[in-house]
Amino acid sequence: MSASPDAVRIAAVGDVHMGPDIRGRYRPALAALPDDADLLLVAGDLTQHGLVEEAEVFAEEFADLGVPVVTVLGNHDYHADLELKIRKVLCDAGITVLEGEGVVIPTPAGDVGVAGAKGFCLGFSGRRASYFGEPQMKAFTGHGQHSAELLRKAFQGLDAPVRVGLTHFSPVVDTLSGEPPEIWAFLGNYLLGDAIDEAGADLAIHGHAHAGVEKGITPGGVPVRNVAQPVIHTAYRVYDVVPGGAR
């Protein structure tokens, strides 16, 4: 079905885990992207082990696709403590990388504002970490809280008729169904969902939960989509979005 003329076509995928061993395999699946979508969002875990050479493969596969590409990093991209070098590789290739920042992308259907942050663990109602006890526990919880503040910051001043929250960690528990409940606290963070609701976003995109499900919703009614590649089983999924929500 073709998109409505007033709808922005947002393609999204996450957890592609690129590396030299799969160089050249993903690019052909992106050939039709300019016909399908107005922009592409990538929800983190671009690499396998957070190595620069893996980021270079991602850049080779995802740069110059004919549409703007906007991404956040994921936990895998931080593994080797090379996230700043990875970011530079991507930015040099013309790919926008967000962490506590927002960007407005012009499209034929109107501007799209993307607020991006990786996010972090914390959990959800009844299964969340608390800022109490040992310094290590406070550091863990505090980082989860800080990650949500970064997303709030990214939405501030983001003036566009369609606004999207892009994270790696999940903002809701809905899309984690299929993952063991014991690890939900390590897959998402309810404060990310709060930030998305407070901003009045039209759509939220995330990855990370490989065994989860695609569709969820925030407490405030914002559609959430888990676009981890093992979940959507395709090179990308396209969502038609108009001001007020995804279709």
Side-chain angles (χ1 to χ4, degrees):
M1 181 181 295
S2 62
S4 168
D6 61 349
V8 179
R9 302 170 303 160
I10 298 177
V13 68
D15 303 82
V16 293
H17 296 290
M18 303 304 298
D21 57 321
I22 55 173
R23 175 180 267 116
R25 296 185 191 175
Y26 212 94
R27 183 79 178 194
L30 301 171
L33 189 61
D35 296 326
D36 292 341
D38 300 308
L39 70 158
L40 173 66
L41 305 182
V42 188
D45 275 6
L46 319 178
T47 66
Q48 297 171 9
H49 305 102
L51 302 178
V52 171
E53 53 265 38
E54 295 171 345
E56 290 171 346
V57 174
F58 178 87
E60 291 171 10
E61 304 284 296
F62 282 81
D64 301 319
L65 292 175
V67 300
V69 179
V70 181
T71 185
V72 295
L73 300 185
N75 59 306
H76 278 244
D77 307 318
Y78 276 70
H79 179 65
D81 298 325
L82 296 172
E83 62 275 8
L84 295 181
K85 292 184 178 180
I86 287 174
R87 179 170 182 148
K88 184 177 187 306
V89 167
L90 303 182
C91 291
D92 287 349
I95 296 168
T96 300
V97 185
L98 302 177
E99 178 62 9
E101 300 136 333
V103 64
V104 176
I105 305 293
T107 81
D111 290 347
V112 179
V114 183
K118 173 177 64 67
F120 190 66
C121 316
L122 192 66
F124 304 91
S125 179
R127 292 186 177 92
R128 66 174 183 256
S130 61
Y131 192 82
F132 182 85
E134 303 92 335
Q136 295 86 350
M137 190 65 190
K138 291 178 181 176
F140 177 88
T141 305
H143 193 62
Q145 295 169 340
H146 176 66
S147 71
E149 288 305 313
L150 285 175
L151 187 60
R152 284 191 177 89
K153 175 187 172 186
F155 273 112
Q156 291 174 2
L158 194 59
D159 186 13
V162 170
R163 297 193 301 164
V164 181
L166 176 63
T167 61
H168 180 59
F169 287 76
S170 176
V172 296
V173 74
D174 302 16
T175 51
L176 304 184
S177 179
E179 295 278 7
E182 293 83 1
I183 68 169
W184 286 356
F186 304 104
L187 297 175
N189 181 336
Y190 78 101
L191 292 178
L192 298 172
D194 287 352
I196 288 163
D197 277 342
E198 290 166 14
D202 300 291
L203 178 66
I205 297 290
H206 76 88
H208 195 38
H210 291 201
V213 297
E214 181 184 2
K215 297 179 180 180
I217 193 166
T218 67
V222 178
V224 179
R225 299 294 180 259
N226 174 10
V227 296
Q229 205 278 330
V231 171
I232 62 173
H233 299 294
T234 187
Y236 53 85
R237 185 80 79 207
V238 179
Y239 304 102
D240 294 347
V241 185
V242 293
R247 291 185 176 171

